[in-house]
Amino acid sequence: MIDVGSRKGAGQRERNGFPRLERAPLTRTSSRGNAMVRRRLVAGVLVVLSLMLITIYFRESPAGGLHNLQSAGATVLRPFQVGAERVARPFRDVYSYFSGLVGAKSENARLRSEVVELRQLLIQSETARRENQRLRELLRYRAPSVYPGDYRPLAAAVIGHPQTQFEQEIVISAGSGAGVAVNAPVVNGDGLIGRVTDVTSGTAKVVLLTDQSSAVSALDIAPESGAAGLVQPARPGDASLLLNRVGKDERVAPGDRVVTEGSQRGELPSFYPRGIPIGVVTFVGQNDTDLYKSIQIKPYVDFGSLDSVVVLVPRRANR
Amino acid sequence: MTGALDVAKTALLVFFVAILQVTILGSIDVAGGAPDLVLVTLVAVALLRGPIFGAVAGFYAGLLVDTATLETLGLTSLVLTLAGYWIGRYGETTGRDRIQAPVLSVLVITVLYAVGGYVLRFVLGDAVSARLVLVESLLPGIIFNCLLAVPVYALCRRLLHPVEAFDRSREVRLLG
């Protein structure tokens, strides 16, 4: 190592053919000091500014100045995000195609058996639907919002993905300008994704079902079950879900399908209409100490590969 | 003039990297981890241009990410400002002219970024899993980022003038 502080050491290195290191003249000391003060000042100011932004953002309402500023910024960034997403889409499709080939044979066999099962279910449900419709007319029953009939589907691209494992949120390319409102349900062809929590004129933030703040009233639609509960994420970052608050006397079995209950009871009605598929029960357990069953659900939606979604915009004012 | 040009180049570079990260790279999930191009680019910029440049670039990158993802404003800025400053200091002192500096810096800063982000969110009351963030997703994240470190550093070196040319010579002079 070169000894910068010792003249003797530096002299020795020079004699051995190494360049001699010399302290900068005293006149430079003050400029070095100034540079040090300047860089600490800049870093300090930026850290304080960041802390101020966090504090103000947390304390102000969603209609506050900083939120509006962020909304304007998001609107400016939106075309760039949409452009980047469009450029990336072909590459993503190619990747999905090849990754889909892995395990395609076993998946094909599973899907064939599922088709047979679903065909039988379709016949049964069609009969039940007609009977249901006839009975409603007889009783003049006024139903709550029904999915998907009472909603206008609004397709949007996903232009922002979670940046860390902390966030279970996405940003989509449709905002209040297209009719998206806070708490609007978001789905795709597979099932429920989440709900809108933040809206700008051109973008919206969607909190996924796997976020720790999510809770959806749900229903087991197996003919012998009908158990209602609350679907919540299993643990942070985990894709599986739990169906909580299902009593021990309810009948729930692996393979049962779970959909949104669309509960309109009480002061806090559900944000989601009835009947949106959520997932399939994979595990049911219970022990003596717990009040409720322990039910695990595998969601239909693959939350790791969302590239487009559908926002459900009510056709009429429901609430 | 060169300084102003470098500021403009860095602003553009960070802007496009942030858009790329938010829109495309954030969705990549291999073995539970994803590359963080914003962090790797920030490390390269800070190593080449020093702590002030690093801190300002980190603040700017954080603001862009938080705005594009509609996240809490200032959260990412805070962590990236500190990361940019610290790597800038490392670059002009211990890490100066060391060939392994980019990879080493990316490795250390990826770990610190995960820890810092975890602590911040824990303090703010978010439900976060230490096991997930600091164990499961950290290792693949480190591998991704370290793989990106050398090409990104080489690109930034071509784009920006390293700080040696005008500032570093004031610290220690080589004579003889």
Side-chain angles (χ1 to χ4, degrees):
Chain A
M1 292 299 289
I2 297 173
D3 181 5
V4 182
S6 161
R7 277 269 171 207
K8 192 179 169 188
Q12 281 170 353
R13 299 298 185 280
E14 190 183 27
R15 280 197 298 277
N16 292 335
F18 285 92
R20 182 162 62 85
L21 288 177
E22 189 180 79
R23 280 186 182 282
L26 281 176
T27 48
R28 295 280 172 89
T29 311
S30 61
S31 77
R32 275 211 309 261
N34 286 343
M36 189 179 71
V37 169
R38 196 170 65 241
R39 66 178 170 242
R40 285 184 182 171
L41 192 70
V42 170
V45 165
L46 293 177
V47 166
V48 170
L49 204 57
S50 301
L51 289 171
M52 280 170 64
L53 285 175
I54 295 171
T55 311
I56 296 169
Y57 195 91
F58 259 90
R59 292 184 72 88
E60 74 172 13
S61 72
L66 206 54
H67 281 77
N68 288 338
L69 201 65
Q70 187 185 37
S71 172
T75 307
V76 172
L77 293 178
R78 183 181 174 274
F80 296 98
Q81 290 178 264
V82 172
E85 201 276 330
R86 280 186 188 156
V87 170
R89 179 157 287 184
F91 298 101
R92 227 180 240 156
D93 290 346
V94 169
Y95 174 76
S96 302
Y97 175 77
F98 284 107
S99 63
L101 289 178
V102 182
K105 198 173 176 182
S106 60
E107 192 181 7
N108 189 28
R110 186 179 59 77
L111 290 174
R112 278 177 188 277
S113 67
E114 203 172 310
V115 165
V116 174
E117 190 187 332
L118 290 175
R119 201 174 283 151
Q120 290 167 353
L121 272 176
L122 180 67
I123 295 165
Q124 287 172 13
S125 59
E126 184 60 26
T127 313
R129 193 184 66 80
R130 282 169 193 268
E131 190 179 325
N132 182 279
Q133 196 175 357
R134 191 169 53 78
L135 290 171
R136 281 185 178 189
E137 283 167 8
L138 283 173
L139 295 169
R140 291 181 186 171
Y141 177 74
R142 184 175 164 76
S145 305
V146 177
Y147 166 77
D150 289 343
Y151 290 84
R152 176 170 63 89
L154 180 69
V158 177
I159 57 170
H161 294 272
Q163 294 309 296
T164 61
Q165 295 286 346
F166 311 116
E167 298 149 16
Q168 291 296 313
E169 299 157 347
I170 53 172
V171 179
I172 59 171
S173 63
S176 56
V180 177
V182 171
N183 293 328
V186 180
V187 300
N188 69 2
D190 298 325
L192 184 64
I193 291 175
R195 70 184 171 91
V196 173
T197 54
D198 217 340
V199 183
T200 72
S201 61
T203 61
K205 184 161 79 174
V206 177
V207 167
L208 305 180
L209 214 54
T210 46
D211 188 86
Q212 289 299 298
S213 64
S214 288
V216 183
S217 57
L219 200 63
D220 182 334
I221 55 165
E224 65 279 6
S225 174
L230 206 59
V231 169
Q232 290 174 301
R235 57 183 184 176
D238 196 336
S240 63
L241 304 167
L242 298 175
L243 180 60
N244 292 325
R245 294 177 183 271
V246 175
K248 286 179 177 175
D249 53 337
E250 300 280 3
R251 293 182 64 180
V252 180
D256 286 3
R257 292 178 173 80
V258 177
V259 301
T260 52
E261 187 190 18
S263 168
Q264 300 298 309
R265 298 186 301 264
E267 292 179 0
L268 295 171
S270 175
F271 296 124
Y272 309 95
R274 192 185 185 93
I276 304 177
I278 296 177
V280 62
V281 174
T282 53
F283 170 81
V284 182
Q286 64 183 54
N287 59 45
D288 294 339
T289 52
D290 285 345
L291 286 172
Y292 302 107
K293 279 181 186 290
S294 170
I295 303 168
Q296 200 162 16
I297 299 173
K298 185 186 176 203
Y300 289 128
V301 173
D302 179 4
F303 292 99
S305 61
L306 295 172
D307 53 10
S308 58
V309 299
V310 173
V311 185
L312 299 179
V313 181
R315 288 187 196 276
R316 58 183 166 87
N318 297 308
R319 300 176 183 115
Chain B
M1 187 63 193
T2 314
L5 195 65
D6 278 355
V7 170
K9 282 181 189 171
T10 308
L12 268 177
L13 177 71
V14 171
F15 180 84
F16 283 109
V17 162
I19 294 293
L20 199 67
Q21 178 67 40
V22 167
T23 315
I24 301 163
L25 297 177
S27 66
I28 294 174
D29 183 355
V30 178
D36 194 334
L37 193 59
V38 172
L39 198 64
V40 178
T41 308
L42 176 68
V43 166
V45 167
L47 276 176
L48 288 165
R49 296 305 314 252
I52 294 181
F53 224 84
V56 174
F59 183 79
Y60 168 62
L63 274 189
L64 283 173
V65 169
D66 287 338
T67 303
T69 55
L70 300 177
E71 270 299 311
T72 306
L73 268 185
L75 204 63
T76 312
S77 293
L78 179 61
V79 189
L80 290 184
T81 298
L82 292 171
Y85 178 80
W86 192 70
I87 289 298
R89 282 297 291 152
Y90 169 72
E92 68 180 17
T93 53
T94 326
R96 179 180 169 184
D97 297 330
R98 291 194 176 175
I99 197 161
Q100 76 276 20
V103 176
L104 188 67
S105 307
V106 164
L107 192 151
V108 173
I109 220 68
T110 303
V111 175
L112 292 180
Y113 183 67
V115 173
Y118 173 77
V119 170
L120 257 181
R121 281 169 170 90
F122 182 78
V123 168
L124 292 173
D126 289 352
V128 286
S129 159
R131 181 186 56 79
L132 179 77
V133 175
L134 305 178
V135 180
E136 289 179 10
S137 66
L138 188 56
L139 187 64
I142 288 173
I143 293 170
F144 271 129
N145 289 354
C146 287
L147 286 174
L148 285 172
V150 174
V152 170
Y153 183 77
L155 177 74
C156 290
R157 203 178 167 85
R158 283 180 70 91
L159 279 175
L160 308 172
H161 292 85
V163 82
E164 287 100 332
F166 16 108
D167 274 341
R168 278 182 183 163
S169 56
R170 289 179 193 164
E171 299 266 331
V172 178
R173 281 193 300 162
L174 289 171
L175 302 173

